[in-house]
Amino acid sequence: MALRHAVLAALLDGEYSGYQLTKIFDVGVSNFWYAAPQQLYVELTRLEADGLVSGREVVQQGRPNKRVFKVTDAGVEELASFAAAPAKPLLIREDLAVKVHAVDVLDPAPVIAQLQERAEQAAVKLAFFEQTLVRLRGNRDEETFLREGDRIGPYLSCLAGCRLEREMRDWCLQTARTLSERAAHAGRTTS
């Protein structure tokens, strides 16, 4: 997946400025794609040059004017082509997993601390995603929303984010507990 597809997908819900798009990425897209604000502005320029989004200037009183963007028909066609192409498997590059892989020859204390910190971060993201799910479905239960909701794509991708963060939290806590128990046992047997 290219950043362009994530931007096009984010713009499906409306017309947004680059600033608003960065907030959408922080909130709604962060469960499956990360992009720095500068990357988003560069990509918006490319998408507009390619005719996949259209931009217009909005005059504001007392503030600088802003440009807002929306997906064009060509942008929707690009998303359709992307959706029809085979998906690549999930690739993970996780520095914490590398540290855990090497922990047998390291002092486990800093790795344990990082695992606990990451578990807390995952718990915060999980809570945010769960709140987002409630907001997206409104007063409907999940089954009803999934059957009758107008746009369920953002909801389904948020469900994936929940599962990933829940798994990361649980793995971090279990791994920290295992390493702590092993360190405690090693300390008892050598003293």
Side-chain angles (χ1 to χ4, degrees):
M1 173 164 80
L3 175 57
R4 72 183 5 213
H5 300 115
V7 170
L8 289 170
L11 288 173
L12 287 175
D13 287 322
E15 188 176 52
Y16 300 110
S17 68
Y19 175 77
Q20 290 169 312
L21 190 61
T22 63
K23 295 303 175 199
I24 291 168
F25 264 70
D26 282 347
V27 174
V29 179
S30 64
N31 61 335
F32 61 87
W33 195 271
Y34 170 79
Q38 314 85 281
Q39 292 174 295
L40 293 173
Y41 285 103
V42 169
E43 192 60 40
L44 282 169
T45 301
R46 287 184 190 138
L47 289 167
E48 187 172 25
D50 292 344
L52 302 178
V53 300
S54 62
R56 67 180 180 86
E57 189 167 339
V58 175
V59 178
Q60 301 185 109
Q61 298 290 32
R63 295 178 4 187
N65 296 341
K66 66 179 179 178
R67 285 187 57 76
V68 293
F69 300 88
K70 67 178 181 177
V71 177
T72 63
D73 290 342
V76 173
E77 289 175 21
E78 171 68 20
L79 277 173
S81 295
F82 169 70
K88 295 178 182 174
L90 177 65
L91 300 174
I92 298 174
R93 293 181 183 156
E94 176 57 62
D95 63 342
L96 190 52
V98 175
K99 294 172 185 184
V100 168
H101 189 83
V103 77
D104 295 314
V105 298
L106 306 174
D107 174 6
V111 177
I112 292 167
Q114 291 174 55
L115 285 161
Q116 292 167 335
E117 182 180 336
R118 181 68 63 81
E120 291 172 14
Q121 293 167 349
V124 168
K125 283 182 79 174
L126 175 59
F128 173 77
F129 290 147
E130 288 172 339
Q131 291 170 354
T132 301
L133 291 173
V134 170
R135 181 181 50 78
L136 288 172
R137 71 176 177 258
N139 60 358
R140 294 176 275 192
D141 63 79
E142 185 169 90
E143 185 178 321
T144 303
F145 176 76
L146 290 174
R147 189 177 53 250
E148 301 170 359
D150 291 333
R151 285 218 346 108
I152 63 167
Y155 191 89
L156 293 171
S157 64
C158 193
L159 278 176
C162 283
R163 289 182 179 133
L164 289 172
E165 293 303 330
R166 187 176 294 111
E167 286 297 319
M168 178 55 83
R169 179 201 61 199
D170 293 350
W171 176 79
C172 286
L173 291 173
Q174 179 184 19
T175 303
R177 190 169 39 255
T178 299
L179 294 176
S180 295
E181 289 169 359
R182 287 177 59 91
H185 178 70
R188 280 194 305 268
T189 58
T190 58
S191 45

